[in-house]
Amino acid sequence: MSRKPDATDLLAMARPASLERGSRLSADDMLSMAGTEAPARAALLEAPVSRIRSRLWFLLAPLATAAVVAMVFALVPKLSPAPAVLSPVKTNQELFDLADRIEKLPAQTGAYWREVRIDGNSLSADGYRLVVVGRRETWQPRNSADLVHTQVWRQDSARPATAEDERAWRAAGAPAQVKGYCETSGPCDPVPVADEPTDCRYTVKLEPRGTYPDTTVSEFTMADLAALPTDPAALMKRLRAYHEAWNSRGFTEPFEKFLPTTVNLLGMPLSPAQRAAIIRVLADLPTTRVVGTVTDPLGRTGMSVDFGVAGGSVVISDQPHKEMPVYDRQILDPGTGATLARVSYAARTAFGATKDEVMSYQARGPESGWTGPPASPPKGCKKGD
């Protein structure tokens, strides 16, 4: 019993000559042939075998067209550009970005490193709070053979901490002096209420080795600071050596707890590349956390960072004795990476202060940086020992 050949039989019986011997047929040809698909199929089934081979192409045309279309669609995703692979955002990415920004900044020049430090501390007195402010200036010579020049306002000044405190101070008669507190035994000198510190003293001396005043990381000469590595791996190796030196003197904290204190280097006379290396080392520490953008005690915008340095407490009155627990933040200059201020905030609401309020600070004055020899002492500044 015979049957009419179906499409599979017809494909097996004949192959168009145009598909043999490597011949090519354009997609336009295939599409024009596709329009005659239906009548061609009916005629093909009634035609003698001799004509089937010549007309079989009309049956293959729609199949070939579909294949071409499928091939075109298959090629489109292959020809499209691959989607960009986004690198995962690093923890503390803001610090790495800061290091990238400052790394290529030009290094400053000058014969002296002028450091202006302004200290502020809270003081509780008769129902209101004041901020006691002191100022210290040091000209540290690049050449250790030159003199070190220091100006210190040894007697601080105080001013009301807030507008509410000022109203309370005025209601108390606006006293010109308030009782301070001492960390040593004996009577404390009164603190004048004024806008600027008073009782200026200055010294001029030659340090035997020209040691930089801040020795929290190591005892640095200016040459030691200039030699700090700019590669983070090499810097880490150097920091380990400093930690081992502390250990040899009875220092008991492990290296992981020593590392956060190296943030103090960011306030020292270093090049931008050196500061960038320090920032990268600190940014990789698990204890480091970028808090956000804040205004420092001198009104400057900076990046607040928690480097995991343990907090402490601030004495705000010695009669009766009152200590406020605090936590510390470092505020960095977003343009240079240098330290703007170290700020201690109230860890709880107590003694007239509210939680997260500034309790004390050490700020670098805007005059800090490389400069020429020190100018004459301010008028009225007395020479001290």
Side-chain angles (χ1 to χ4, degrees), residues 149-198:
H149 183 105
T150 304
Q151 293 177 7
V152 181
W153 280 263
R154 290 185 177 173
Q155 184 166 331
D156 300 328
S157 66
R159 54 178 176 264
T162 65
E164 183 179 353
D165 290 316
E166 183 173 358
R167 287 192 291 269
W169 170 70
R170 293 188 182 280
Q177 293 181 331
V178 293
K179 189 179 186 317
Y181 58 83
C182 302
E183 295 182 359
T184 58
S185 60
C188 299
D189 294 332
V191 179
V193 179
D195 289 334
E196 293 292 337
T198 59

mmCIF file of all heavy atoms in Angstrom, residues 149-198:
data_model
loop_
_atom_site.group_PDB
_atom_site.id
_atom_site.type_symbol
_atom_site.label_atom_id
_atom_site.label_comp_id
_atom_site.label_asym_id
_atom_site.label_seq_id
_atom_site.Cartn_x
_atom_site.Cartn_y
_atom_site.Cartn_z
ATOM 1 N N HIS A 149 60.926 76.221 67.809
ATOM 2 C CA HIS A 149 60.260 77.386 68.385
ATOM 3 C C HIS A 149 58.858 76.974 68.822
ATOM 4 O O HIS A 149 58.095 76.405 68.043
ATOM 5 C CB HIS A 149 60.177 78.499 67.343
ATOM 6 C CG HIS A 149 59.582 79.777 67.855
ATOM 7 N ND1 HIS A 149 60.339 80.883 68.130
ATOM 8 C CD2 HIS A 149 58.316 80.129 68.140
ATOM 9 C CE1 HIS A 149 59.559 81.858 68.551
ATOM 10 N NE2 HIS A 149 58.315 81.418 68.566
ATOM 11 N N THR A 150 58.514 77.256 70.081
ATOM 12 C CA THR A 150 57.209 76.852 70.622
ATOM 13 C C THR A 150 56.527 78.040 71.280
ATOM 14 O O THR A 150 57.167 78.818 71.992
ATOM 15 C CB THR A 150 57.359 75.731 71.661
ATOM 16 O OG1 THR A 150 58.055 74.640 71.084
ATOM 17 C CG2 THR A 150 55.995 75.251 72.132
ATOM 18 N N GLN A 151 55.232 78.171 71.021
ATOM 19 C CA GLN A 151 54.418 79.158 71.721
ATOM 20 C C GLN A 151 53.275 78.417 72.401
ATOM 21 O O GLN A 151 52.606 77.600 71.773
ATOM 22 C CB GLN A 151 53.835 80.195 70.755
ATOM 23 C CG GLN A 151 54.883 81.099 70.124
ATOM 24 C CD GLN A 151 54.266 82.055 69.130
ATOM 25 O OE1 GLN A 151 53.053 82.128 69.014
ATOM 26 N NE2 GLN A 151 55.106 82.790 68.432
ATOM 27 N N VAL A 152 53.058 78.693 73.652
ATOM 28 C CA VAL A 152 52.005 78.010 74.407
ATOM 29 C C VAL A 152 51.210 79.034 75.201
ATOM 30 O O VAL A 152 51.804 79.872 75.897
ATOM 31 C CB VAL A 152 52.607 76.967 75.386
ATOM 32 C CG1 VAL A 152 51.489 76.253 76.140
ATOM 33 C CG2 VAL A 152 53.472 75.965 74.642
ATOM 34 N N TRP A 153 49.884 78.986 75.080
ATOM 35 C CA TRP A 153 49.028 79.758 75.968
ATOM 36 C C TRP A 153 48.744 78.850 77.154
ATOM 37 O O TRP A 153 47.894 77.969 77.102
ATOM 38 C CB TRP A 153 47.735 80.149 75.257
ATOM 39 C CG TRP A 153 47.872 81.331 74.360
ATOM 40 C CD1 TRP A 153 47.563 82.617 74.662
ATOM 41 C CD2 TRP A 153 48.350 81.344 73.026
ATOM 42 N NE1 TRP A 153 47.817 83.432 73.585
ATOM 43 C CE2 TRP A 153 48.310 82.675 72.568
ATOM 44 C CE3 TRP A 153 48.845 80.365 72.143
ATOM 45 C CZ2 TRP A 153 48.708 83.058 71.296
ATOM 46 C CZ3 TRP A 153 49.249 80.733 70.887
ATOM 47 C CH2 TRP A 153 49.179 82.069 70.466
ATOM 48 N N ARG A 154 49.516 79.026 78.200
ATOM 49 C CA ARG A 154 49.461 78.078 79.315
ATOM 50 C C ARG A 154 48.173 78.202 80.112
ATOM 51 O O ARG A 154 47.716 77.245 80.698
ATOM 52 C CB ARG A 154 50.672 78.280 80.221
ATOM 53 C CG ARG A 154 51.963 77.832 79.555
ATOM 54 C CD ARG A 154 53.138 77.910 80.501
ATOM 55 N NE ARG A 154 54.341 77.413 79.854
ATOM 56 C CZ ARG A 154 55.555 77.479 80.403
ATOM 57 N NH1 ARG A 154 55.707 78.001 81.601
ATOM 58 N NH2 ARG A 154 56.597 77.011 79.764
ATOM 59 N N GLN A 155 47.617 79.382 80.201
ATOM 60 C CA GLN A 155 46.348 79.524 80.901
ATOM 61 C C GLN A 155 45.247 79.562 79.858
ATOM 62 O O GLN A 155 45.225 80.434 78.988
ATOM 63 C CB GLN A 155 46.322 80.775 81.758
ATOM 64 C CG GLN A 155 45.027 80.874 82.574
ATOM 65 C CD GLN A 155 45.137 81.912 83.669
ATOM 66 O OE1 GLN A 155 46.226 82.164 84.184
ATOM 67 N NE2 GLN A 155 44.027 82.513 84.041
ATOM 68 N N ASP A 156 44.351 78.624 79.963
ATOM 69 C CA ASP A 156 43.294 78.524 78.978
ATOM 70 C C ASP A 156 42.229 79.591 79.204
ATOM 71 O O ASP A 156 42.231 80.294 80.214
ATOM 72 C CB ASP A 156 42.633 77.143 79.054
ATOM 73 C CG ASP A 156 43.628 76.033 78.786
ATOM 74 O OD1 ASP A 156 44.562 76.272 78.008
ATOM 75 O OD2 ASP A 156 43.480 74.936 79.362
ATOM 76 N N SER A 157 41.338 79.694 78.239
ATOM 77 C CA SER A 157 40.168 80.549 78.397
ATOM 78 C C SER A 157 38.930 79.685 78.264
ATOM 79 O O SER A 157 38.972 78.592 77.692
ATOM 80 C CB SER A 157 40.159 81.652 77.337
ATOM 81 O OG SER A 157 39.990 81.091 76.044
ATOM 82 N N ALA A 158 37.817 80.181 78.801
ATOM 83 C CA ALA A 158 36.570 79.421 78.763
ATOM 84 C C ALA A 158 35.468 80.279 78.157
ATOM 85 O O ALA A 158 35.478 81.511 78.287
ATOM 86 C CB ALA A 158 36.178 78.976 80.168
ATOM 87 N N ARG A 159 34.551 79.635 77.503
ATOM 88 C CA ARG A 159 33.361 80.324 76.997
ATOM 89 C C ARG A 159 32.184 79.358 77.084
ATOM 90 O O ARG A 159 32.372 78.138 77.029
ATOM 91 C CB ARG A 159 33.562 80.825 75.565
ATOM 92 C CG ARG A 159 33.989 79.793 74.567
ATOM 93 C CD ARG A 159 34.104 80.412 73.177
ATOM 94 N NE ARG A 159 34.596 79.473 72.192
ATOM 95 C CZ ARG A 159 35.866 79.366 71.824
ATOM 96 N NH1 ARG A 159 36.789 80.134 72.398
ATOM 97 N NH2 ARG A 159 36.236 78.492 70.908
ATOM 98 N N PRO A 160 30.968 79.871 77.211
ATOM 99 C CA PRO A 160 29.804 78.987 77.329
ATOM 100 C C PRO A 160 29.708 78.025 76.149
ATOM 101 O O PRO A 160 29.994 78.384 75.002
ATOM 102 C CB PRO A 160 28.630 79.967 77.358
ATOM 103 C CG PRO A 160 29.218 81.237 77.909
ATOM 104 C CD PRO A 160 30.623 81.290 77.366
ATOM 105 N N ALA A 161 29.293 76.777 76.455
ATOM 106 C CA ALA A 161 29.267 75.737 75.432
ATOM 107 C C ALA A 161 28.155 75.959 74.419
ATOM 108 O O ALA A 161 28.335 75.703 73.226
ATOM 109 C CB ALA A 161 29.113 74.367 76.094
ATOM 110 N N THR A 162 26.987 76.413 74.864
ATOM 111 C CA THR A 162 25.834 76.610 73.979
ATOM 112 C C THR A 162 25.173 77.942 74.313
ATOM 113 O O THR A 162 25.513 78.605 75.299
ATOM 114 C CB THR A 162 24.801 75.481 74.145
ATOM 115 O OG1 THR A 162 24.262 75.556 75.475
ATOM 116 C CG2 THR A 162 25.442 74.112 73.943
ATOM 117 N N ALA A 163 24.198 78.336 73.481
ATOM 118 C CA ALA A 163 23.456 79.572 73.746
ATOM 119 C C ALA A 163 22.696 79.473 75.070
ATOM 120 O O ALA A 163 22.608 80.455 75.829
ATOM 121 C CB ALA A 163 22.489 79.844 72.591
ATOM 122 N N GLU A 164 22.182 78.291 75.364
ATOM 123 C CA GLU A 164 21.485 78.093 76.632
ATOM 124 C C GLU A 164 22.435 78.240 77.808
ATOM 125 O O GLU A 164 22.106 78.841 78.845
ATOM 126 C CB GLU A 164 20.819 76.717 76.637
ATOM 127 C CG GLU A 164 20.001 76.441 77.881
ATOM 128 C CD GLU A 164 19.324 75.076 77.848
ATOM 129 O OE1 GLU A 164 19.388 74.401 76.786
ATOM 130 O OE2 GLU A 164 18.753 74.686 78.888
ATOM 131 N N ASP A 165 23.660 77.698 77.647
ATOM 132 C CA ASP A 165 24.659 77.835 78.706
ATOM 133 C C ASP A 165 25.064 79.297 78.885
ATOM 134 O O ASP A 165 25.318 79.748 80.010
ATOM 135 C CB ASP A 165 25.891 76.991 78.389
ATOM 136 C CG ASP A 165 25.622 75.495 78.499
ATOM 137 O OD1 ASP A 165 24.971 75.089 79.467
ATOM 138 O OD2 ASP A 165 26.060 74.747 77.603
ATOM 139 N N GLU A 166 25.112 80.050 77.790
ATOM 140 C CA GLU A 166 25.468 81.464 77.896
ATOM 141 C C GLU A 166 24.403 82.231 78.677
ATOM 142 O O GLU A 166 24.716 83.109 79.503
ATOM 143 C CB GLU A 166 25.649 82.082 76.513
ATOM 144 C CG GLU A 166 26.091 83.534 76.579
ATOM 145 C CD GLU A 166 26.431 84.121 75.225
ATOM 146 O OE1 GLU A 166 26.363 83.379 74.218
ATOM 147 O OE2 GLU A 166 26.764 85.321 75.178
ATOM 148 N N ARG A 167 23.129 81.904 78.435
ATOM 149 C CA ARG A 167 22.054 82.553 79.185
ATOM 150 C C ARG A 167 22.172 82.233 80.677
ATOM 151 O O ARG A 167 21.985 83.104 81.540
ATOM 152 C CB ARG A 167 20.695 82.116 78.638
ATOM 153 C CG ARG A 167 20.363 82.730 77.278
ATOM 154 C CD ARG A 167 18.911 82.501 76.911
ATOM 155 N NE ARG A 167 18.636 81.088 76.641
ATOM 156 C CZ ARG A 167 18.732 80.534 75.443
ATOM 157 N NH1 ARG A 167 19.132 81.269 74.398
ATOM 158 N NH2 ARG A 167 18.455 79.260 75.262
ATOM 159 N N ALA A 168 22.493 80.982 80.994
ATOM 160 C CA ALA A 168 22.656 80.591 82.400
ATOM 161 C C ALA A 168 23.864 81.285 83.022
ATOM 162 O O ALA A 168 23.826 81.691 84.194
ATOM 163 C CB ALA A 168 22.790 79.076 82.499
ATOM 164 N N TRP A 169 24.940 81.434 82.237
ATOM 165 C CA TRP A 169 26.138 82.121 82.731
ATOM 166 C C TRP A 169 25.829 83.588 83.018
ATOM 167 O O TRP A 169 26.240 84.150 84.051
ATOM 168 C CB TRP A 169 27.254 81.976 81.689
ATOM 169 C CG TRP A 169 28.467 82.818 81.914
ATOM 170 C CD1 TRP A 169 29.399 82.673 82.901
ATOM 171 C CD2 TRP A 169 28.883 83.944 81.131
ATOM 172 N NE1 TRP A 169 30.382 83.631 82.775
ATOM 173 C CE2 TRP A 169 30.091 84.422 81.690
ATOM 174 C CE3 TRP A 169 28.373 84.581 80.001
ATOM 175 C CZ2 TRP A 169 30.770 85.517 81.175
ATOM 176 C CZ3 TRP A 169 29.041 85.672 79.470
ATOM 177 C CH2 TRP A 169 30.232 86.132 80.061
ATOM 178 N N ARG A 170 25.082 84.226 82.140
ATOM 179 C CA ARG A 170 24.707 85.629 82.351
ATOM 180 C C ARG A 170 23.755 85.759 83.546
ATOM 181 O O ARG A 170 23.836 86.725 84.326
ATOM 182 C CB ARG A 170 24.078 86.209 81.094
ATOM 183 C CG ARG A 170 25.059 86.329 79.928
ATOM 184 C CD ARG A 170 24.484 87.085 78.748
ATOM 185 N NE ARG A 170 25.442 87.125 77.644
ATOM 186 C CZ ARG A 170 26.478 87.960 77.570
ATOM 187 N NH1 ARG A 170 26.694 88.844 78.554
ATOM 188 N NH2 ARG A 170 27.292 87.929 76.535
ATOM 189 N N ALA A 171 22.852 84.785 83.671
ATOM 190 C CA ALA A 171 21.928 84.821 84.804
ATOM 191 C C ALA A 171 22.673 84.674 86.126
ATOM 192 O O ALA A 171 22.207 85.161 87.177
ATOM 193 C CB ALA A 171 20.891 83.717 84.662
ATOM 194 N N ALA A 172 23.849 84.030 86.084
ATOM 195 C CA ALA A 172 24.671 83.870 87.295
ATOM 196 C C ALA A 172 25.561 85.075 87.536
ATOM 197 O O ALA A 172 26.436 85.043 88.421
ATOM 198 C CB ALA A 172 25.520 82.605 87.180
ATOM 199 N N GLY A 173 25.362 86.153 86.747
ATOM 200 C CA GLY A 173 26.153 87.358 86.933
ATOM 201 C C GLY A 173 27.309 87.489 85.973
ATOM 202 O O GLY A 173 28.152 88.382 86.137
ATOM 203 N N ALA A 174 27.393 86.602 84.962
ATOM 204 C CA ALA A 174 28.470 86.627 83.962
ATOM 205 C C ALA A 174 29.834 86.741 84.620
ATOM 206 O O ALA A 174 30.588 87.700 84.376
ATOM 207 C CB ALA A 174 28.245 87.767 82.962
ATOM 208 N N PRO A 175 30.195 85.775 85.463
ATOM 209 C CA PRO A 175 31.502 85.858 86.149
ATOM 210 C C PRO A 175 32.653 85.872 85.146
ATOM 211 O O PRO A 175 32.627 85.181 84.134
ATOM 212 C CB PRO A 175 31.530 84.596 87.008
ATOM 213 C CG PRO A 175 30.537 83.668 86.383
ATOM 214 C CD PRO A 175 29.480 84.533 85.793
ATOM 215 N N ALA A 176 33.660 86.674 85.423
ATOM 216 C CA ALA A 176 34.821 86.798 84.532
ATOM 217 C C ALA A 176 35.761 85.614 84.636
ATOM 218 O O ALA A 176 36.587 85.385 83.745
ATOM 219 C CB ALA A 176 35.575 88.086 84.831
ATOM 220 N N GLN A 177 35.623 84.861 85.738
ATOM 221 C CA GLN A 177 36.466 83.682 85.938
ATOM 222 C C GLN A 177 35.608 82.557 86.495
ATOM 223 O O GLN A 177 34.609 82.789 87.174
ATOM 224 C CB GLN A 177 37.619 83.980 86.906
ATOM 225 C CG GLN A 177 38.646 84.966 86.384
ATOM 226 C CD GLN A 177 39.770 85.186 87.370
ATOM 227 O OE1 GLN A 177 39.589 85.064 88.584
ATOM 228 N NE2 GLN A 177 40.954 85.499 86.854
ATOM 229 N N VAL A 178 36.001 81.337 86.173
ATOM 230 C CA VAL A 178 35.321 80.168 86.729
ATOM 231 C C VAL A 178 36.387 79.250 87.319
ATOM 232 O O VAL A 178 37.554 79.294 86.933
ATOM 233 C CB VAL A 178 34.494 79.416 85.656
ATOM 234 C CG1 VAL A 178 33.325 80.268 85.196
ATOM 235 C CG2 VAL A 178 35.373 78.997 84.484
ATOM 236 N N LYS A 179 35.966 78.434 88.266
ATOM 237 C CA LYS A 179 36.908 77.514 88.891
ATOM 238 C C LYS A 179 37.192 76.352 87.950
ATOM 239 O O LYS A 179 36.277 75.725 87.431
ATOM 240 C CB LYS A 179 36.330 76.993 90.201
ATOM 241 C CG LYS A 179 37.328 76.192 91.028
ATOM 242 C CD LYS A 179 36.693 75.739 92.327
ATOM 243 C CE LYS A 179 37.710 75.054 93.238
ATOM 244 N NZ LYS A 179 38.611 74.125 92.583
ATOM 245 N N GLY A 180 38.453 76.076 87.738
ATOM 246 C CA GLY A 180 38.825 74.954 86.884
ATOM 247 C C GLY A 180 38.946 73.678 87.690
ATOM 248 O O GLY A 180 38.547 73.602 88.848
ATOM 249 N N TYR A 181 39.507 72.656 87.068
ATOM 250 C CA TYR A 181 39.775 71.421 87.793
ATOM 251 C C TYR A 181 41.185 70.967 87.457
ATOM 252 O O TYR A 181 41.734 71.291 86.405
ATOM 253 C CB TYR A 181 38.766 70.319 87.439
ATOM 254 C CG TYR A 181 38.703 69.967 85.982
ATOM 255 C CD1 TYR A 181 39.614 69.081 85.402
ATOM 256 C CD2 TYR A 181 37.718 70.515 85.176
ATOM 257 C CE1 TYR A 181 39.556 68.772 84.071
ATOM 258 C CE2 TYR A 181 37.643 70.209 83.829
ATOM 259 C CZ TYR A 181 38.564 69.335 83.277
ATOM 260 O OH TYR A 181 38.501 69.036 81.944
ATOM 261 N N CYS A 182 41.766 70.246 88.376
ATOM 262 C CA CYS A 182 43.151 69.809 88.223
ATOM 263 C C CYS A 182 43.221 68.291 88.257
ATOM 264 O O CYS A 182 42.459 67.641 88.978
ATOM 265 C CB CYS A 182 44.019 70.353 89.363
ATOM 266 S SG CYS A 182 44.016 72.150 89.490
ATOM 267 N N GLU A 183 44.129 67.750 87.498
ATOM 268 C CA GLU A 183 44.390 66.321 87.571
ATOM 269 C C GLU A 183 45.478 66.023 88.592
ATOM 270 O O GLU A 183 45.813 64.874 88.839
ATOM 271 C CB GLU A 183 44.770 65.784 86.189
ATOM 272 C CG GLU A 183 43.624 65.898 85.186
ATOM 273 C CD GLU A 183 43.983 65.322 83.830
ATOM 274 O OE1 GLU A 183 45.136 64.849 83.695
ATOM 275 O OE2 GLU A 183 43.141 65.339 82.929
ATOM 276 N N THR A 184 46.066 67.064 89.155
ATOM 277 C CA THR A 184 47.084 66.886 90.192
ATOM 278 C C THR A 184 46.554 67.498 91.489
ATOM 279 O O THR A 184 45.569 68.233 91.499
ATOM 280 C CB THR A 184 48.394 67.583 89.792
ATOM 281 O OG1 THR A 184 48.123 68.973 89.582
ATOM 282 C CG2 THR A 184 48.953 66.979 88.516
ATOM 283 N N SER A 185 47.215 67.171 92.586
ATOM 284 C CA SER A 185 46.777 67.702 93.883
ATOM 285 C C SER A 185 47.102 69.185 93.963
ATOM 286 O O SER A 185 47.973 69.707 93.273
ATOM 287 C CB SER A 185 47.466 66.937 95.001
ATOM 288 O OG SER A 185 48.871 67.077 94.891
ATOM 289 N N GLY A 186 46.363 69.857 94.811
ATOM 290 C CA GLY A 186 46.616 71.279 94.993
ATOM 291 C C GLY A 186 45.505 72.120 94.404
ATOM 292 O O GLY A 186 44.677 71.639 93.632
ATOM 293 N N PRO A 187 45.492 73.400 94.742
ATOM 294 C CA PRO A 187 44.441 74.283 94.242
ATOM 295 C C PRO A 187 44.598 74.510 92.739
ATOM 296 O O PRO A 187 45.698 74.509 92.196
ATOM 297 C CB PRO A 187 44.652 75.579 95.028
ATOM 298 C CG PRO A 187 46.109 75.549 95.399
ATOM 299 C CD PRO A 187 46.448 74.115 95.610
ATOM 300 N N CYS A 188 43.466 74.701 92.068
ATOM 301 C CA CYS A 188 43.478 74.951 90.630
ATOM 302 C C CYS A 188 43.349 76.446 90.363
ATOM 303 O O CYS A 188 42.612 77.146 91.062
ATOM 304 C CB CYS A 188 42.311 74.236 89.951
ATOM 305 S SG CYS A 188 42.348 72.458 90.141
ATOM 306 N N ASP A 189 44.051 76.923 89.378
ATOM 307 C CA ASP A 189 43.924 78.329 89.000
ATOM 308 C C ASP A 189 42.565 78.565 88.358
ATOM 309 O O ASP A 189 42.049 77.701 87.632
ATOM 310 C CB ASP A 189 45.023 78.710 88.004
ATOM 311 C CG ASP A 189 46.408 78.659 88.632
ATOM 312 O OD1 ASP A 189 46.505 78.866 89.867
ATOM 313 O OD2 ASP A 189 47.370 78.400 87.889
ATOM 314 N N PRO A 190 41.977 79.710 88.585
ATOM 315 C CA PRO A 190 40.714 80.015 87.924
ATOM 316 C C PRO A 190 40.931 80.204 86.424
ATOM 317 O O PRO A 190 42.019 80.557 85.978
ATOM 318 C CB PRO A 190 40.267 81.325 88.601
ATOM 319 C CG PRO A 190 41.529 81.937 89.104
ATOM 320 C CD PRO A 190 42.425 80.795 89.479
ATOM 321 N N VAL A 191 39.890 79.941 85.676
ATOM 322 C CA VAL A 191 39.960 80.054 84.226
ATOM 323 C C VAL A 191 39.197 81.296 83.794
ATOM 324 O O VAL A 191 38.016 81.457 84.159
ATOM 325 C CB VAL A 191 39.357 78.803 83.539
ATOM 326 C CG1 VAL A 191 39.424 78.945 82.029
ATOM 327 C CG2 VAL A 191 40.073 77.550 83.993
ATOM 328 N N PRO A 192 39.833 82.208 83.042
ATOM 329 C CA PRO A 192 39.111 83.400 82.600
ATOM 330 C C PRO A 192 38.082 83.055 81.518
ATOM 331 O O PRO A 192 38.306 82.180 80.684
ATOM 332 C CB PRO A 192 40.219 84.296 82.040
ATOM 333 C CG PRO A 192 41.294 83.347 81.620
ATOM 334 C CD PRO A 192 41.237 82.201 82.590
ATOM 335 N N VAL A 193 36.949 83.743 81.566
ATOM 336 C CA VAL A 193 35.942 83.580 80.514
ATOM 337 C C VAL A 193 36.246 84.626 79.445
ATOM 338 O O VAL A 193 36.094 85.833 79.665
ATOM 339 C CB VAL A 193 34.521 83.756 81.074
ATOM 340 C CG1 VAL A 193 33.488 83.600 79.957
ATOM 341 C CG2 VAL A 193 34.252 82.755 82.179
ATOM 342 N N ALA A 194 36.731 84.162 78.299
ATOM 343 C CA ALA A 194 37.136 85.068 77.222
ATOM 344 C C ALA A 194 37.076 84.319 75.902
ATOM 345 O O ALA A 194 36.997 83.089 75.861
ATOM 346 C CB ALA A 194 38.548 85.597 77.481
ATOM 347 N N ASP A 195 37.115 85.100 74.816
ATOM 348 C CA ASP A 195 37.035 84.476 73.488
ATOM 349 C C ASP A 195 38.338 83.804 73.081
ATOM 350 O O ASP A 195 38.338 82.848 72.320
ATOM 351 C CB ASP A 195 36.660 85.525 72.432
ATOM 352 C CG ASP A 195 35.216 85.979 72.574
ATOM 353 O OD1 ASP A 195 34.405 85.193 73.095
ATOM 354 O OD2 ASP A 195 34.908 87.113 72.167
ATOM 355 N N GLU A 196 39.470 84.302 73.573
ATOM 356 C CA GLU A 196 40.766 83.762 73.190
ATOM 357 C C GLU A 196 41.577 83.411 74.434
ATOM 358 O O GLU A 196 41.434 84.054 75.484
ATOM 359 C CB GLU A 196 41.552 84.783 72.355
ATOM 360 C CG GLU A 196 40.938 85.065 70.990
ATOM 361 C CD GLU A 196 41.026 83.881 70.057
ATOM 362 O OE1 GLU A 196 41.913 83.017 70.278
ATOM 363 O OE2 GLU A 196 40.228 83.815 69.118
ATOM 364 N N PRO A 197 42.451 82.396 74.331
ATOM 365 C CA PRO A 197 43.334 82.068 75.461
ATOM 366 C C PRO A 197 44.240 83.250 75.802
ATOM 367 O O PRO A 197 44.536 84.101 74.965
ATOM 368 C CB PRO A 197 44.141 80.877 74.939
ATOM 369 C CG PRO A 197 43.311 80.307 73.844
ATOM 370 C CD PRO A 197 42.607 81.467 73.214
ATOM 371 N N THR A 198 44.654 83.290 77.048
ATOM 372 C CA THR A 198 45.504 84.388 77.509
ATOM 373 C C THR A 198 46.779 83.826 78.122
ATOM 374 O O THR A 198 46.997 82.625 78.139
ATOM 375 C CB THR A 198 44.761 85.234 78.554
ATOM 376 O OG1 THR A 198 44.394 84.388 79.652
ATOM 377 C CG2 THR A 198 43.500 85.871 77.968
#
